[in-house]
Amino acid sequence: MKTPAISAIQRKLTDWYVENRRDLPWRKTRDPYRIWVSEVMLQQTQVQTVIPYFNNFVTAYPDVASLARADLQSVLKSWEGMGYYARARNLHRAARRLHAETHGRVPSNWADFRALPGVGDYIAAAVLSIAFDKPYAVVDGNVKRVLARLSVVDAPVNQSGSMTVFRKMAESLLDRAHPGTFNQAVMELGALVCTPRSPSCKTCPLTAYCRAFLSGRVDAYPKKEKRKPVPQYHIAAGVVEKNRRLLITRRSPDVMLGGLWEFPGGKVRRGETAEAACVREIREEVNLAVAVESHLTRVRHAYSHFKIILDVFRCRYLSGRVRRRGPVAHRWVSYRQLDRYPFPGANRKFLHLLKE
Ligand code: SF4
């Protein structure tokens, strides 16, 4: 049974959302496919970055069938720059499965939708509640922060063990009559008002119910567990040129950044120079003998669990035929053709130097 406080929180939040919500492209539709695409993109990427990607993606692939028919490389190219490419690969695989099994219909029940590649609890709850009004509560970073402050929760928001606590709270607060609107209202409050730093409590509709605010401890919540510093790797890569063409290789589909293209290279070993690592890696990876001609640039790039320092060298082809381990492709491409291929962020940081 709903308590009066829960009813009041639901009403205040929903009223606030109707008045204050941002006008975003995926909010103009109830099409489950488009809502799904937006939620997948929004999982790791900021709203403002997502907007143009979303618009371009649903123009290129307006429904499950068109995404299923597209080749993976084109899909990765539309995703290029947004990172976390497993999202795109999974979305593509899920579209192919739906196209084959349900004529492209997005399932409206938890078991079938949750079983699709890349669909976790968050995506399932978000899409099913927003597109189909199913009573599932979403729990993302914004929701956890709002709940932690509202009820002064001491469980750290960045610890996986805390998820049960926040999920139970989100479920007990959910407005089951309007789950989609309610879920979006909590997330929007977290994004616009109950922000990580300096929340705008003065404009918040929940001040009368927020225990952190009422006890003057807003800054103490949410609690976070200290993370270990992320490791940093030194990588060397070579731009090998032969007859005005450059060698690029495609990463295996089942690894991080799978399906993307890159310049061959790898980790610099202890006691090894970056130049020597570049020559060795190219020999081991693609069976070519090359000579380093010059240092093109040094790039720094951060992924979610590690950082890299990438030294890039211009290399001259000496001898050998490309031979790769496993079913991985390679191409010799002209400078102009580079734009056709999807590259990871660290490679994209120096592509402009090659075109100049
Ligand atoms: Fe967040 Fe402040 Fe609102 Fe509490 S009163 S929910 S801390 S914005």
Side-chain angles (χ1 to χ4, degrees), residues 137-141 143-149 151-173 221-223:
V138 296
V139 183
D140 71 348
V143 172
K144 282 196 273 188
R145 187 170 57 255
V146 171
L147 294 178
R149 287 172 174 161
S151 302
V152 290
V153 179
D154 286 322
V157 282
N158 58 344
Q159 200 181 59
S160 53
S162 311
M163 199 59 188
T164 320
V165 176
F166 288 105
R167 183 165 298 125
K168 278 190 183 150
M169 287 180 67
E171 278 165 9
S172 62
L173 205 56
Y221 291 90
K223 302 275 189 208

Side-chain angles (χ1 to χ4, degrees), residues 56-69:
N56 293 338
F57 197 90
V58 296
T59 302
Y61 314 113
D63 49 30
V64 170
S66 51
L67 180 57
R69 280 194 297 266

